[in-house]
RNA sequence: GCCCAGGUAGUGUAGUGGCCUAUCAUGUCGGCCUGUCACGCCGACGACUCGGAUUCGAAUUCCGACCUGGGCGCCA
């Protein structure tokens, strides 16, 4: 075989270290002088003797101006084949120009087409023509090039980083628990069955039972951020079949302690986003980003029902679940984050601790945003025999819970915790209309790809 | 699971029986253009989800399939 002479065109890591010269577009200022940028061709405006390229990387957009009579011949040859969304590398002099976006523009000395984009594009990145969410999700890699989408996920990243920092600062241990489990443990939601060699298995709906076992292990404060799976056939803008749960469990604490922790976290997250993500919020056209104030009101369940029944046509009474219409009515009344506390024991899971003074209500709570539920939690039952009775009272067989119940016989501390839906948190924080906007590759009733 | 709405160029749309050789925008291609910033102007290209039925005639009505969005339920 004849050897084709290798021409090193794009040696990003070679001794020439060309990539080292590249700077993010947002760092190009009128004072920069000479610079090299890499990015995607966002738009081209060809005026004849003068061509404007808008070049985008994840940090922003810069105008590259080509006066045809003044740039090297090689630049003119190379721009001929450039299509929208192609990857290019450009070096040249930065000039301060009032007329240009950002007050600066680059006039190229070199202009390389690194990776040509095919056309037509599956959707319009510039968004002169809007695309349906479904179309966008089909081509999520392209959709995610749009500054507003990049902004959502950079804010989500900031939120997740801040959750880690917040919990590590308070002495939490980060854990990872199985997503493949043996049985439907919690009841409530439907589980996805999977093939696990010769055994029946499921994808886990929640790390709940494992968090509690680790209280039995003496970890005292744990958190896990991971996927949860719900096999419900819902078709709404606020449900996913694979979601991200921020889960916390704390020993020697009660429901009030972990509600305090949760509201402090929420305030911290909003505050950090307000402080660090101004550009991203700007891309999302969010001008009045408000940091919620703690403490959040703690509304007893029976009062929540009263508010709902006063505003709804359909009857709702004590003991009913709070449905969509009730949730909306109460949210409009509260007009801020709030907790619903003191739920009827009957409609909460078996692991929620009943009150001493009135066992018909329990130490469970939901954290609500005016639009929807964000989190639910409780002080848990830590007494083995009570837990067995509660499991049985829900119509479940305690024998199936042996792996979970055993730790409760060997020194289980009192404990409390919660699970917070990450996508719902981001959705409500940024006022996104559909939860699918808050996750890169949503899994819903109809979507399994990409 | 129940209910409602929908499927027309790459993308987003107009079109409710003949005037559709299907509208508009964006895009792509070609031409003109040195300060655009949704650049502008001229020209071209490109589509009725599939199958069946009704009718002289169907993008349009009916039936079925497939796909999608939304509401409710359930759920976090």
């Amino acid at each position: 075989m004849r050897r084709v002479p290798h021409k090193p065109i794009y040696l990003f890591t070679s001794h020439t270290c060309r990539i080292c010269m590249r700077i993010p577009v947002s760092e190009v200022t009128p004072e920069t002088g000479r610079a090299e940028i890499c990015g995607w061709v966002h738009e081209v405006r060809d005026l004849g003797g003068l061509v404007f390229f808008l070049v985008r990387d994840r940090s922003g957009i810069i105008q590259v101006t080509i006066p045809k009579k003044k740039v090297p011949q090689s630049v003119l040859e190379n721009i001929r084949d450039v299509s929208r969304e192609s990857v290019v590398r450009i070096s040249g002099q930065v000039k301060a120009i009032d007329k240009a976006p950002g007050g600066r523009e680059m006039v190229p000395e070199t202009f390389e087409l690194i990776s040509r984009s095919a056309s037509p594009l599956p959707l319009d990145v510039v968004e002169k023509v809007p695309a349906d969410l479904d179309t966008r999700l089909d081509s999520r890699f392209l959709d995610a090039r749009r500054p507003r989408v990049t902004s959502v996920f950079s804010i989500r990243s900031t939120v997740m980083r801040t959750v880690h920092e917040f919990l590590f600062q308070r002495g939490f241990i980060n854990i990872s628990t199985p997503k493949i489990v043996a049985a439907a443990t919690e009841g409530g939601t439907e589980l996805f069955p999977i093939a696990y060699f010769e055994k029946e298995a499921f994808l886990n709906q929640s790390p709940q039972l494992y968090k509690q076992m680790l209280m039995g292990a003496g970890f005292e404060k744990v958190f896990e951020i991971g996927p949860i799976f719900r096999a419900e056939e819902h078709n709404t803008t606020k449900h996913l079949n694979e979601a991200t749960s921020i889960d916390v469990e704390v020993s020697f604490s009660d429901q009030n302690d972990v509600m305090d922790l949760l509201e402090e976290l929420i305030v911290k997250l909003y505050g950090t986003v307000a402080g660090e993500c101004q550009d991203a919020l700007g891309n999302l056209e969010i001008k009045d980003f408000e940091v919620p104030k703690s403490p959040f009101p703690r509304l007893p369940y029976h009062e929540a029902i009263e508010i709902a029944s006063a505003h709804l046509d359909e009857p709702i009474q004590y003991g009913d679940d709070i449905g969509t219409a009730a949730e909306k009515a109460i949210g409009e009344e509260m007009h801020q984050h709030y907790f619903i506390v003191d739920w009827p024991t009957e409609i909460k899971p078996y692991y929620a601790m009943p009150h001493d003074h009135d066992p018909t209500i329990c130490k469970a709570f939901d954290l609500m945003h005016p639009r929807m539920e964000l989190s639910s939690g409780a002080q848990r039952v830590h007494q083995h025999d009570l837990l067995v009775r509660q499991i049985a009272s829900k119509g479940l067989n305690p024998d199936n819970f042996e792996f979970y119940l055993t730790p409760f016989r060997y020194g289980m501390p009192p404990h409390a915790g919660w699970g917070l839906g990450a996508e719902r948190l981001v959705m409500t924080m940024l006022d996104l209309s559909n939860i699918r906007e808050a996750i890169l590759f949503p899994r819903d009733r109809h979507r399994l790809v990409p």
Side-chain angles (χ1 to χ4, degrees):
Chain A
M1 221 168 75
R2 201 170 68 89
R3 283 194 140 211
V4 180
H6 180 243
K7 188 182 170 196
I9 311 172
Y10 310 119
L11 290 178
F12 287 94
T13 55
S14 78
H15 64 281
T16 60
C17 197
R18 301 179 63 176
I19 196 61
C20 298
M21 293 171 61
R22 185 231 171 178
I23 62 170
V25 158
S26 63
E27 289 178 19
V28 179
T29 68
E31 294 78 39
T32 300
R34 214 182 155 282
E36 178 177 294
I37 56 167
C38 292
W40 287 259
V41 175
H42 191 66
E43 265 188 280
V44 182
R45 298 193 192 105
D46 186 346
L47 272 60
L50 191 62
V51 185
F52 298 104
F53 281 84
L54 298 183
V55 176
R56 182 196 69 241
D57 66 17
R58 75 173 200 193
S59 73
I61 294 176
I62 186 171
Q63 176 165 291
V64 174
T65 303
I66 299 173
K68 283 190 181 167
K69 288 177 183 166
K70 295 177 188 165
V71 296
Q73 189 62 31
S74 62
V75 170
L76 296 183
E77 283 165 17
N78 289 347
I79 64 171
R80 211 179 300 151
D81 278 338
V82 173
S83 53
R84 285 163 74 226
E85 294 306 315
S86 292
V87 178
V88 295
R89 171 168 44 215
I90 300 164
S91 67
Q93 206 65 35
V94 179
K95 295 183 175 172
I97 302 275
D98 285 344
K99 290 179 272 195
R104 87 294 195 225
E105 68 181 16
M106 183 181 274
V107 178
E109 290 155 17
T110 70
F111 192 117
E112 294 171 64
L113 174 58
I114 293 177
S115 180
R116 190 174 192 280
S117 172
S119 72
L121 297 163
L123 58 85
D124 178 13
V125 176
V126 176
E127 236 191 357
K128 289 179 185 174
V129 178
D132 288 343
L133 181 59
D134 197 50
T135 305
R136 292 169 44 209
L137 292 175
D138 281 342
S139 298
R140 191 57 144 162
F141 73 96
L142 259 189
D143 181 52
R145 291 183 189 177
R146 295 166 47 227
R148 73 165 38 235
V149 176
T150 310
S151 298
V152 170
F153 291 101
S154 94
I155 290 171
R156 176 173 163 144
S157 172
T158 298
V159 166
M160 296 311 238
R161 192 200 77 226
T162 307
V163 172
H164 280 89
E165 287 171 359
F166 178 91
L167 294 171
F168 280 134
Q169 277 167 9
R170 282 159 182 76
F172 280 77
I173 292 174
N174 182 217
I175 57 165
S176 297
T177 63
K179 301 309 150 206
I180 302 174
V181 298
T185 46
E186 271 193 62
T189 192
E190 292 293 315
L191 300 189
F192 287 109
I194 59 168
Y196 192 76
F197 306 111
E198 70 281 2
K199 291 194 171 78
E200 181 184 54
F202 301 91
L203 292 176
N204 207 180
Q205 69 183 87
S206 152
Q208 180 62 29
L209 306 189
Y210 290 94
K211 287 191 302 180
Q212 291 193 259
M213 285 192 281
L214 291 168
M215 295 300 98
F219 280 29
E220 299 195 15
K221 295 174 167 185
V222 301
F223 79 99
E224 172 165 19
I225 300 177
I228 55 172
F229 304 92
R230 310 273 161 108
E232 299 290 341
E233 296 194 359
H234 31 225
N235 185 232
T236 76
T237 54
K238 60 179 184 182
H239 290 91
L240 293 166
N241 292 292
E242 178 178 349
T244 310
S245 179
I246 300 165
D247 258 276
V248 159
E249 203 69 30
V250 186
S251 289
F252 309 111
S253 69
D254 64 18
Q255 77 281 14
N256 291 312
D257 296 325
V258 293
M259 275 192 277
D260 292 346
L261 179 78
L262 179 52
E263 72 186 2
E264 199 185 333
L265 173 64
I266 297 290
V267 170
K268 173 75 176 176
L269 296 176
Y270 273 77
T272 304
V273 168
E276 293 184 12
C277 305
Q278 281 309 126
D279 288 351
L281 290 170
N283 284 336
L284 290 164
E285 290 160 17
I286 297 174
K287 296 185 184 80
D288 49 351
F289 187 79
E290 273 181 47
V291 179
K293 295 193 173 40
S294 61
F296 301 158
R298 297 178 185 193
L299 184 68
Y301 167 87
H302 72 87
E303 287 183 26
I305 291 292
E306 282 163 23
I307 293 172
S309 81
H311 288 79
L312 293 182
D313 299 333
E314 290 152 33
I316 181 167
Q317 57 185 0
Y318 189 93
D320 288 346
D321 273 318
I322 294 178
T324 308
E327 193 173 272
K328 186 162 176 279
I330 302 164
E332 280 167 8
E333 180 82 13
M334 300 303 289
H335 210 65
Q336 60 172 314
H337 288 85
Y338 63 100
F339 288 102
I340 301 177
V341 300
D342 299 337
W343 287 75
T345 306
E346 200 184 344
I347 60 173
K348 280 290 177 184
Y350 54 81
Y351 49 74
M353 177 77 92
H355 276 291
D356 294 330
H357 68 275
D358 179 2
T360 68
I361 58 172
C362 65
K363 300 181 181 181
F365 59 87
D366 282 4
L367 172 66
M368 309 296 295
H369 178 275
R371 287 176 70 188
M372 71 189 79
E373 180 183 340
L374 297 182
S375 168
S376 59
Q379 181 179 338
R380 323 297 190 185
V381 176
H382 64 277
Q383 304 93 328
H384 176 272
D385 295 352
L386 176 57
L387 191 53
V388 170
R389 284 201 300 279
Q390 296 235 137
I391 288 172
S393 76
K394 297 287 177 188
L396 300 166
N397 183 355
D399 294 347
N400 297 339
F401 293 78
E402 202 184 337
F403 82 100
Y404 166 64
L405 285 169
T406 301
F408 288 79
R409 297 171 59 214
Y410 296 95
M412 178 62 79
H415 58 279
W418 40 257
L420 170 64
E423 284 81 16
R424 285 190 172 187
L425 173 67
V426 172
M427 177 189 185
T428 51
M429 179 183 277
L430 303 180
D431 199 25
L432 305 174
S433 60
N434 193 313
I435 198 167
R436 295 164 183 82
E437 301 272 11
I439 183 168
L440 282 165
F441 300 103
R443 289 292 172 264
D444 62 33
R445 180 70 186 85
H446 301 292
R447 182 172 289 278
L448 195 52
V449 179

